[in-house]
């Protein structure tokens, strides 16, 4: 038996490939969404960029453009003229040799023939035309000359019917007559279709008689017309891409095709019919070829078809037209032009687009726009919380970052046992883990189980103490212009997810403050775009936080403030904001007075200072001392872990230990 060999599957999409990872796609979109892009825009940007395993639309479009440039730089038109000239030179050389060798020829006849040969015009087309009635003395010369007419006929047909040049090589007069008959029948069918008088039976009869000329296998007359029109339009663009001299030479030579002008008449009739039936094809374009590899009419038409196909792919990949979708992508054309791997990438992107819309991560709002669903918000919050927890662990060494209390009500979830845990075992999960481990190592669980430490899971609990948490986030324009907008939103999402999933008895209020302050839910904050808004109205934000705290009198109160600037606005008695820069004493006084009122409620306060503004540093330090609070100055990328850590430290009943503020 021959040894088996294995390699990468190349028959299209990998049938064993895992389904697309929508969670990874959502995470990749998250920064764009938090920047203020709509989910629709963020999805488009993700599809353009792709990821580590899948090339995005921009890279595929770049490869399309590179292939287009390669085709133009590699080729030049005029290959048929070059081939005709070569055959003509061969015929003339053979004729001169025969005239020199034939000692029995009449000298007058020899001189006349020599004069005809010597006086041929330099134009290939004109020389071929003058030699149409020449009585060749050399059999080899006559055969070379006849090959010119045969070549032209095959090239003219190949320009309209792919593969005709090879199919008619060495064709007999009967074969050529059959082609002429096919063209006549085709033109009659096209004329009948243009008048609306054709029937399916007419098409069936035509294909039964001439189907061998159409390897594409069209099943309807419209498919046949589409195929013919695309090729014919490419042939017209190829002629327009030639120089005026090349075009004139070719048109004059074409009269010699197969030695019969009837062929060109039938082809002209077909082109006119197709142009009328498919006016939307590009019949008038042209390309600039710059290479040195000559193309004949048939090959040149094929290259022009490739260029047209590449242009269509470029438009599809741009997704810039109304109603565009990746389902529009012609994956077969992409595979033909760029290979199977590009087609797999395109299918993957189309599957991600479809799955993101159908999975429940995105939903249509009342205005028709796509929005993140609650499921997507949970998934995104979970990812951001996981990232914040990892950063928190990195900053504080081998610190316990489990985000549930050590005692209290069970959350309904379980987690692996860790040294020092006092929670009750989750027996079902523990036994299941032991069975799974035993079976995976070849053992038989039916013969008994041996528990290991890694099998043990305990019931997760949350602390019974409940907290009311107000997270105040600065949304003034400096937050966006200084690169703090996305970290601020990531922080709010992470904290929201932590409270919603692990401390469900707590209540979180998100409050944004620019010139005004306002209460927001997490979906509103996620979608909030950066706007040029002057003012940092911490006074108004503290006022709203105080109202929130007073509505939760039985809870422990936690105030978290994220800002990158001193207060520059406060509310007047009439409710209007008053802005001034630098900060006015009245603004600072109003802000401090509102903070005092919040502190008297028993609030535990932490300020998160972003940036290195000395004035802000002094102001927040004074505020923290005033209310026995703390100031944390994290890097923007560490903001999430800093806020989560402070929440866990400030929250009564948390068991995660202290947190060292920078």
């Amino acid at each position: 038996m021959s040894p088996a060999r294995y390699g990468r599957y190349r028959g299209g999409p990998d049938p064993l490939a895992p389904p697309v990872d929508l969670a990874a796609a959502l995470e990749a979109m998250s920064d764009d969404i938090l920047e203020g892009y709509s989910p629709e825009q963020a999805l488009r940007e993700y599809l353009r960029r792709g990821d580590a395993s899948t090339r995005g639309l921009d890279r595929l479009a770049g490869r399309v453009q590179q292939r287009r440039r390669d085709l133009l730089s590699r080729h030049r038109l005029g290959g048929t003229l070059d081939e005709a000239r070569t055959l003509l030179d061969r015929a003339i050389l053979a004729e001169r040799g025969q005239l020199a060798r034939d000692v029995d020829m009449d000298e007058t006849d020899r001189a006349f023939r020599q004069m005809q040969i010597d006086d041929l015009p330099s134009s290939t087309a004109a020389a071929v035309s003058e030699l149409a009635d020449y009585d060749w003395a050399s059999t080899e010369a006559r055969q070379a000359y006849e090959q010119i007419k045969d070549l032209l006929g095959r090239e003219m047909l190949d320009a309209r019917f792919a593969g005709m040049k090879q199919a008619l090589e060495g064709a007999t007069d009967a074969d050529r007559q059959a082609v002429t008959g096919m063209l006549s029948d085709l033109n009659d069918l096209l004329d009948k279709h243009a008048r609306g008088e054709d029937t399916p039976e007419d098409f069936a009869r035509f294909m039964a008689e001439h189907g061998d000329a159409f390897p594409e296998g069209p099943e309807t007359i419209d498919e046949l017309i589409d195929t013919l029109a695309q090729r014919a339009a490419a042939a017209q663009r190829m002629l327009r891409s030639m120089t005026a001299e090349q075009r004139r030479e070719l048109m004059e030579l074409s009269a010699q095709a197969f030695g019969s002008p009837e062929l060109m008449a039938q082809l002209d009739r077909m082109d006119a019919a197709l142009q009328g039936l498919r006016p939307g094809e590009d019949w008038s374009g042209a390309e600039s070829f710059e290479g040195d590899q000559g193309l004949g009419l048939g090959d040149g038409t094929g290259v022009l078809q490739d260029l047209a196909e590449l242009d269509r792919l470029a438009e599809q990949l741009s997704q810039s037209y109304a109603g565009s979708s990746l389902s529009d992508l012609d994956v077969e054309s992409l595979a033909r032009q760029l290979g199977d791997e590009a087609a797999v990438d395109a299918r993957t992107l189309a599957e991600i687009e479809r799955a993101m819309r159908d999975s429940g991560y995105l939903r249509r709002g009342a205005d028709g726009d796509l929005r993140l669903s609650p499921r997507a918000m949970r998934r995104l919050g979970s990812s951001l919380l996981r990232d914040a927890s990892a950063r928190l662990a990195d900053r504080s060494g081998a610190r316990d970052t489990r985000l549930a209390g050590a005692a209290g009500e069970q959350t309904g979830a379980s987690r692996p046992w860790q040294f020092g845990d006092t929670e009750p075992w989750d027996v079902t999960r523990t036994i299941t883990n032991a069975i799974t481990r035993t079976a995976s190592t070849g053992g038989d669980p039916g013969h008994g189980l041996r528990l290991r430490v890694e099998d043990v899971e305990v019931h997760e609990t949350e602390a019974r103490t409940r907290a009311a948490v107000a997270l105040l986030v600065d949304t003034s324009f400096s937050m966006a212009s200084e690169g703090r907008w996305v970290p601020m939103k990531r922080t709010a999402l992470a904290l929201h997810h932590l409270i919603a999933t692990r401390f469900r008895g707590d209540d979180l209020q998100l409050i944004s403050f620019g010139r005004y302050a306002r209460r927001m839910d997490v979906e509103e904050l996620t979608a909030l775009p950066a706007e040029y808004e002057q003012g940092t109205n911490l006074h108004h934000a503290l006022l709203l936080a105080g109202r929130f705290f007073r509505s939760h009198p039985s809870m422990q109160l936690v105030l978290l403030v994220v800002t990158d600037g001193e207060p520059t606005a406060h509310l007047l008695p009439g409710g209007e904001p008053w802005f001034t820069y630098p900060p006015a004493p009245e603004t600072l006084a109003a802000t401090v007075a509102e903070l005092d009122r919040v502190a008297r409620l028993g609030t535990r306060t932490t300020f998160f200072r972003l940036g290195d503004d000395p004035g802000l540093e002094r102001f927040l330090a004074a505020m923290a001392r005033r209310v026995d609070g703390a100031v944390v100055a994290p890097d923007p990328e560490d903001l999430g872990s800093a806020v989560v850590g402070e929440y866990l430290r400030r929250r009564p009943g948390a068991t995660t230990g202290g947190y060292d503020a920078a």
Side-chain angles (χ1 to χ4, degrees), residues 639-657:
L639 178 62
S641 62
V643 170
V644 167
E646 277 298 296
Y647 163 71
L648 294 172
R649 186 174 76 86
R650 292 283 176 177
R651 185 186 185 281
T655 62
T656 55

Side-chain angles (χ1 to χ4, degrees), residues 611-622:
D612 300 319
D613 179 13
L616 176 63
E617 183 177 1
R618 290 191 299 271
F619 174 75
L620 292 184

Side-chain angles (χ1 to χ4, degrees), residues 337-644:
Q337 295 296 339
L338 302 184
D340 289 338
E341 289 186 1
V344 170
D345 288 334
R347 287 192 183 96
T348 301
L349 293 174
E351 174 64 14
I352 289 173
E353 181 188 48
R354 183 198 63 75
M356 286 294 292
R357 298 178 187 277
D358 297 344
S359 65
Y361 279 161
L362 302 179
R363 64 180 182 182
R364 292 282 176 190
D367 55 2
D369 292 336
L370 282 181
R371 295 181 180 176
L372 291 182
S373 68
R375 179 186 177 193
M377 295 298 299
R378 289 193 298 271
R379 170 71 73 170
L380 188 54
S382 174
S383 171
L384 297 175
L385 177 59
R386 186 168 58 249
D387 180 64
S389 299
R391 289 177 178 272
L392 183 59
D394 290 341
R395 289 172 58 93
S396 51
R399 160 197 176 92
D400 181 2
T401 57
R402 287 175 289 120
L403 304 178
E409 299 178 0
Q410 295 184 5
T411 66
S414 62
R415 57 174 174 75
W417 175 88
Q418 296 185 24
F419 180 78
D421 280 338
T422 60
E423 292 86 353
W425 284 20
D426 186 331
V427 177
T428 301
R429 289 295 306 165
T430 299
I431 298 300
T432 300
N433 292 341
I435 292 173
T436 302
R437 176 182 51 76
T438 302
S440 66
T441 56
D444 184 357
H447 292 164
L449 294 174
R450 183 178 295 275
L451 292 181
R452 294 183 180 177
V453 172
E454 60 264 28
D455 298 329
V456 179
E457 292 197 21
V458 297
H459 288 290
E460 185 181 73
T461 62
E462 61 182 2
R464 293 189 178 91
T465 306
R466 300 173 64 199
V469 185
L471 176 61
L472 281 52
V473 291
D474 188 344
T475 55
S476 61
F477 188 71
S478 61
M479 289 285 288
S481 62
E482 297 296 330
R484 299 157 188 157
W485 192 257
V486 171
M488 174 270 291
K489 289 188 175 183
R490 293 171 70 93
T491 298
L493 273 169
L495 184 61
H496 175 271
H497 187 75
L498 170 60
I499 292 175
T501 58
R502 300 300 182 94
F503 295 98
R504 288 185 284 273
D506 287 0
D507 196 357
L508 173 66
Q509 177 66 68
L510 298 176
I511 299 173
S512 67
F513 60 98
R515 182 178 286 264
Y516 284 98
R518 61 191 182 107
R519 292 182 291 268
M520 285 188 169
D521 58 35
V522 70
E523 290 82 4
E524 286 181 286
L525 183 62
T526 300
L528 183 67
E531 298 178 350
Y532 184 75
E533 183 175 57
Q534 287 184 319
T536 304
N537 199 336
L538 180 56
H539 167 247
H540 191 188
L542 290 169
L543 181 65
L544 295 180
R547 292 176 183 172
F548 168 70
F549 289 146
R550 282 187 284 272
S551 68
H552 296 77
S554 63
M555 291 187 179
Q556 297 294 330
L557 309 179
V558 178
L559 175 65
L560 307 172
V561 181
V562 177
T563 184
D564 70 347
E566 295 179 79
T568 56
H570 69 281
L571 285 187
L572 297 174
E576 293 297 317
W578 187 70
F579 166 78
T580 181
Y581 183 85
E586 298 90 334
T587 297
L588 297 178
T591 304
V592 170
E594 195 59 45
L595 179 65
D596 288 343
R597 280 190 282 272
V598 170
R600 285 196 290 272
L601 299 174
T603 305
R604 302 183 179 190
T605 303
T606 303
F607 296 95
F608 298 89
R609 174 172 58 82
L610 300 179
D612 300 319
D613 179 13
L616 176 63
E617 183 177 1
R618 290 191 299 271
F619 174 75
L620 292 184
M623 294 273 277
R625 287 193 300 271
R626 188 178 186 91
V627 296
D628 194 22
V631 178
V632 180
D635 291 332
E637 292 304 316
D638 285 333
L639 178 62
S641 62
V643 170
V644 167

Side-chain angles (χ1 to χ4, degrees), residues 195-267:
R195 297 193 301 270
E197 299 173 358
D198 64 310
T199 64
E201 290 74 20
D202 293 330
F203 173 75
R205 280 194 298 271
F206 175 82
M207 291 301 294
E209 186 172 353
H210 304 296
D212 292 344
F214 305 95
E216 302 87 355
E219 297 182 356
T220 65
I221 189 170
D222 285 317
E223 290 184 11
L224 174 65
I225 292 172
D226 288 340
T227 300
L228 291 173
Q230 289 173 8
R231 184 91 179 168
Q236 292 295 326
R237 293 196 302 277
M238 185 196 63
L239 290 175
R240 292 179 179 275
S241 301
M242 293 180 172
T243 65
E245 182 180 356
Q246 287 176 324
R247 196 159 48 245
R248 177 180 54 77
E249 286 267 305
L250 193 60
M251 289 300 97
E252 292 178 5
L253 275 172
S254 64
Q256 306 294 324
F258 287 152
S260 169
E262 184 180 356
L263 173 67
M264 284 306 300
Q266 291 288 359
L267 290 177

Side-chain angles (χ1 to χ4, degrees), residues 121-149:
S122 59
S123 165
T124 302
V128 170
S129 180
E130 286 199 15
L131 291 170
D133 298 325
Y134 181 78
D135 184 14
W136 297 91
S138 167
T139 302
E140 180 186 354
R142 180 182 295 106
Q143 290 174 346
Y145 180 77
E146 291 299 324
Q147 286 179 30
I148 295 175
K149 294 188 289 184

Side-chain angles (χ1 to χ4, degrees), residues 147-346:
Q147 286 179 30
I148 295 175
K149 294 188 289 184
D150 183 69
L151 168 70
L152 291 170
R154 289 187 294 124
E155 287 279 16
M156 296 303 293
L157 288 170
D158 199 42
R160 274 76 172 184
F161 305 92
M164 277 288 192
K165 182 179 180 181
Q166 292 76 23
L168 291 176
E169 189 170 6
T172 64
D173 289 340
D175 294 331
R176 299 185 189 105
Q177 190 61 40
V179 170
T180 303
M182 181 274 290
L183 287 174
S184 178
D185 291 347
L186 175 60
N187 283 323
D188 290 343
L189 179 62
L190 294 178
D191 289 345
K192 199 171 184 180
H193 182 75
R195 297 193 301 270
E197 299 173 358
D198 64 310
T199 64
E201 290 74 20
D202 293 330
F203 173 75
R205 280 194 298 271
F206 175 82
M207 291 301 294
E209 186 172 353
H210 304 296
D212 292 344
F214 305 95
E216 302 87 355
E219 297 182 356
T220 65
I221 189 170
D222 285 317
E223 290 184 11
L224 174 65
I225 292 172
D226 288 340
T227 300
L228 291 173
Q230 289 173 8
R231 184 91 179 168
Q236 292 295 326
R237 293 196 302 277
M238 185 196 63
L239 290 175
R240 292 179 179 275
S241 301
M242 293 180 172
T243 65
E245 182 180 356
Q246 287 176 324
R247 196 159 48 245
R248 177 180 54 77
E249 286 267 305
L250 193 60
M251 289 300 97
E252 292 178 5
L253 275 172
S254 64
Q256 306 294 324
F258 287 152
S260 169
E262 184 180 356
L263 173 67
M264 284 306 300
Q266 291 288 359
L267 290 177
D268 289 343
R269 179 185 169 195
M270 183 187 76
D271 286 348
L274 291 172
Q275 191 165 354
L277 291 168
R278 294 293 184 271
E281 294 289 339
D282 183 3
W283 296 89
S284 59
E287 300 289 349
S288 298
F289 289 86
E290 302 169 351
D292 53 11
Q293 183 177 327
L295 289 172
L297 291 181
D299 291 339
T301 299
V303 170
L304 265 295
Q305 276 191 291
D306 283 342
L307 292 172
E309 188 170 65
L310 289 167
D311 288 341
R312 286 193 294 272
L313 286 172
E315 182 180 13
Q316 292 166 8
L317 290 168
S318 74
Q319 295 285 286
S320 58
Y321 49 93
S324 59
S325 166
L326 289 190
S327 61
D328 302 337
L329 269 179
D330 187 342
V331 179
E332 291 183 1
S333 294
L334 197 65
R336 187 163 50 248
Q337 295 296 339
L338 302 184
D340 289 338
E341 289 186 1
V344 170
D345 288 334

